[in-house]
Amino acid sequence: MWLINSSIGRKVVMSVTGIALILFLTFHGCMNLVALFSEEGYNMICEFLGANWYAVVATLGLAALAVIHIVFAFILTAQNRTARGNNRYEVATVVKSGKVEWASKNMLVLGIIVVIGLLLHLYNFWYNMMFAELVGNVQPIDPADGFAWIEQTFANPVFVVLYIIWLVALWFHLTHGFWSALQTIGWSGKIWFQRWKCIGTIYVTLLILAFLVVVLAFAFKCAPSLCS
């Protein structure tokens, strides 16, 4: 199958899975913002997305997308390093923007940081919430009380710093990955290439800010529901 056996096919798979994961992050970021305005509203969402069959199926689907994206990223990186030395991605257009050029040259390192941050996030929330609910683990906090889990996590300054590092790496990773994915699937030309870069930078910046503001609000106890 060409999607697996060819380099172009692997890039297409990586691009499509990357776009799907960005869409999920958009939903997740919007969901997190609810915690800034309503503890009850956020916990209602957590309960709806708890250990239900549809949530479990969606989680397995997301896990599969993430694993495929990561595996193909390592395969492509190894192939490109072998064939082209320090060139990490086979892109036809040379990007001259400092930040994006740095990101494209360090996608593997950024990707490793993103994966480590993802594992930390899964431990702090998915493991203590959905997984605990599925297996019946006794937790000091109700698994459905997502608001309390956010409070506990970001009361720890170490986690706050680690999450900020993770989000910065994610910003660099996604700003490059956004336009690169669209270029791979053919949604890019001489005019639209720069437009997609601009759109991607704005979109990803707003997305990361949605996560960052929640981290900082709970770290400094500035969420309205925390200050009431």
Side-chain angles (χ1 to χ4, degrees), residues 55-88:
V56 173
V57 170
T59 300
L60 293 174
L62 284 168
L65 287 174
V67 169
I68 291 171
H69 187 79
I70 293 168
V71 169
F72 276 56
F74 275 100
I75 292 174
L76 284 170
T77 300
Q79 288 179 336
N80 290 333
R81 281 190 169 186
T82 299
R84 303 177 62 190
N86 292 326
N87 292 323
R88 307 288 177 88

